[in-house]
């Protein structure tokens, strides 16, 4: 019989309702006799980068599918952007989907369309904008994702892994969403490409105030960009908090993510990056302040 595990939730106080973008209450999911989740509770706050982690089969992808209306839980309540997902009609569900974007793990781009056509597809499906304006918006989203204009004329099969991720992100941003879902955004990428995606995710949140929910196994990404992380194990949320707070917990289900050399190396790299960012911010502030305060 396995030892009793004490579940550790976020220690902060209650979040005001207007600052909660996603809330899951007592969510349980099963497929026949196979139980995936039991009594999952979590909140995602406005303009935060929130990550779901857990071992294979822990139900991360299932939770994501439930958040984006691709699947329904057996019981419990899921509220996204102020709407109870269980009580939505088709018209309301379509309207809600326009308020979020999804970046799928393998891109999810249509192979018969160019990159620009893929990015413009949500605009053609959900707006009355003319083709010229849609092409202009698609070109802008392509640039936002860090891709050169000529990439828009290429087909998905002609893209590298990193370019595919960025093109998928550009399409997810096509409708100017409030909420962005990322499924393994750096999976399969080399370190340089993965670092570029890390910075791109931070940029989207910092510039546009997006709320971002992501599933990832990338420890570097978690340390670099995640504000809070929920750890799924044994069918429920074992703990939720910052990476630093989680790394100090004794919960066995949480500790295993932080005990290996890869996790320690990722934390050390994050510490170095944070120091560089702090020094850059301080230097910028000093440059703006200038010598005038001392020359009176």
């Amino acid at each position: 019989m396995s030892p009793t595990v004490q579940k550790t939730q976020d220690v902060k106080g209650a979040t005001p309702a207007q600052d909660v973008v996603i809330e899951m209450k007592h969510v349980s999911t099963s497929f026949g006799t196979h139980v995936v989740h039991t009594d999952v509770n979590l909140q995602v706050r406005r303009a935060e980068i929130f990550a779901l982690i857990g071992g294979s089969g822990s139900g991360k992808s299932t939770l994501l599918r439930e958040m984006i209306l691709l699947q329904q839980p057996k019981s419990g309540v899921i509220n996204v952007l102020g709407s109870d997902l269980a009580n939505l009609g088709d018209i309301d569900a379509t309207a809600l989907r326009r308020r979020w974007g999804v970046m799928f793990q393998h891109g999810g781009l249509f192979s018969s369309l160019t990159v620009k056509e893929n990015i413009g597809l949500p605009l053609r499906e959900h707006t009355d904008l003319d083709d010229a304006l849609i092409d202009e918006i698609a070109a802008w989203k392509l640039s936002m994702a860090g891709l050169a204009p000529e990439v828009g004329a290429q087909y998905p099969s002609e893209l590298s892994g990193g370019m595919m991720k960025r093109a998928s992100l550009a399409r997810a941003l096509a409708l100017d969403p409030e909420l962005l879902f990322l499924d393994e955004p750096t999976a399969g990428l080399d370190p340089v490409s993965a670092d570029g995606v890390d910075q791109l995710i931070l940029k989207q949140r910092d510039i546009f105030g997006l709320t971002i929910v992501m599933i990832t196994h990338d420890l570097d990404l978690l340390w670099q960009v995640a504000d809070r992380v929920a750890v799924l194990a044994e069918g429920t949320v074992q703990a939720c908090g910052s990476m630093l707070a989680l790394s100090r917990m004794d919960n066995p289900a949480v500790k295993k993510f932080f005990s290996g050399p890869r996790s320690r190396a990722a934390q050390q790299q994050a510490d170095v990056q944070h120091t560089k960012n702090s020094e850059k911010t301080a230097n910028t502030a000093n440059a703006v302040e200038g010598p005038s305060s001392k020359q009176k």
Side-chain angles (χ1 to χ4, degrees):
M1 204 174 161
S2 62
T4 301
V5 177
Q6 182 179 358
K7 300 177 182 63
T8 310
Q9 297 295 330
D10 209 337
V11 296
K12 294 184 179 181
T15 304
Q18 67 270 22
D19 292 330
V20 176
V21 175
I22 299 174
E23 184 168 30
M24 307 188 88
K25 293 182 177 179
H26 309 297
V27 171
S28 296
T29 308
S30 60
F31 301 108
T33 59
H34 175 60
V35 177
V36 181
H37 304 129
T38 302
D39 199 32
V40 168
N41 296 278
L42 62 82
Q43 288 185 340
V44 179
R45 301 164 184 163
R46 190 171 305 281
E48 80 169 337
I49 299 176
F50 185 91
L52 290 168
I53 67 172
S56 298
S58 60
K60 304 181 299 296
S61 296
T62 300
L63 277 187
L64 180 63
R65 287 197 298 269
E66 290 171 348
M67 291 178 188
I68 62 176
L69 287 169
L70 293 181
Q71 188 172 309
Q72 290 187 340
K74 181 178 180 181
S75 61
V77 176
I78 303 176
N79 190 292
V80 178
L81 294 169
S83 297
D84 182 348
L85 300 190
N87 296 320
L88 289 178
D90 291 341
I91 294 176
D92 290 336
T94 299
L96 185 60
R97 287 189 180 101
R98 291 182 58 181
R99 298 174 64 188
W100 68 56
V102 183
M103 175 183 172
F104 295 99
Q105 179 176 355
H106 300 293
L109 302 179
F110 291 97
S111 60
S112 60
L113 301 179
T114 66
V115 170
K116 182 184 285 188
E117 289 169 341
N118 267 286
I119 298 170
L121 187 60
L123 294 162
R124 289 187 167 86
E125 290 288 328
H126 296 290
T127 74
D128 296 323
L129 301 177
D130 61 59
D131 288 343
L133 183 54
I134 288 175
D135 286 343
E136 184 178 339
I137 293 172
W140 179 46
K141 300 299 181 181
L142 193 72
S143 176
M144 284 173 56
L147 292 172
E150 56 267 24
V151 175
Q154 294 182 268
Y155 288 88
S157 61
E158 300 173 308
L159 303 181
S160 67
M163 293 169 69
M164 179 75 79
K165 297 284 188 182
R166 288 173 180 268
S168 180
L169 178 61
R171 186 179 65 178
L173 295 170
L175 293 171
D176 295 326
E178 305 165 52
L179 176 59
L180 188 61
F181 295 97
L182 309 176
D183 187 4
E184 297 287 2
T186 58
L189 299 185
D190 63 85
V192 174
S193 297
D195 185 60
V197 173
D198 295 356
Q199 298 307 311
L200 187 58
I201 292 170
L202 277 175
K203 183 178 179 181
Q204 300 308 313
R205 191 278 302 276
D206 294 343
I207 294 178
F208 301 105
L210 290 177
T211 303
I212 299 175
V213 177
M214 63 181 182
I215 293 174
T216 184
H217 291 93
D218 186 340
L219 291 166
D220 288 316
L221 177 63
L222 289 167
W223 278 107
Q224 295 288 348
V225 310
D227 295 309
R228 290 190 306 134
V229 178
V231 181
L232 293 175
E234 299 181 12
T236 194
V237 176
Q238 295 287 329
C240 185
S242 69
M243 286 292 283
L244 184 59
L246 293 174
S247 69
R248 295 171 175 171
M249 291 181 181
D250 291 328
N251 185 323
V254 177
K255 201 169 184 178
K256 67 180 182 180
F257 288 99
F258 298 91
S259 58
R262 290 180 64 247
S263 180
R264 290 193 292 271
Q267 183 176 2
Q268 291 169 0
Q269 179 60 34
D271 291 341
V272 171
Q273 187 62 47
H274 291 158
T275 299
K276 289 181 179 179
N277 291 342
S278 297
E279 291 174 350
K280 183 178 180 180
T281 300
N283 291 337
T284 301
N286 290 335
V288 171
E289 181 181 354
S292 59
S293 61
K294 296 180 181 180
Q295 298 177 356
K296 294 183 180 179

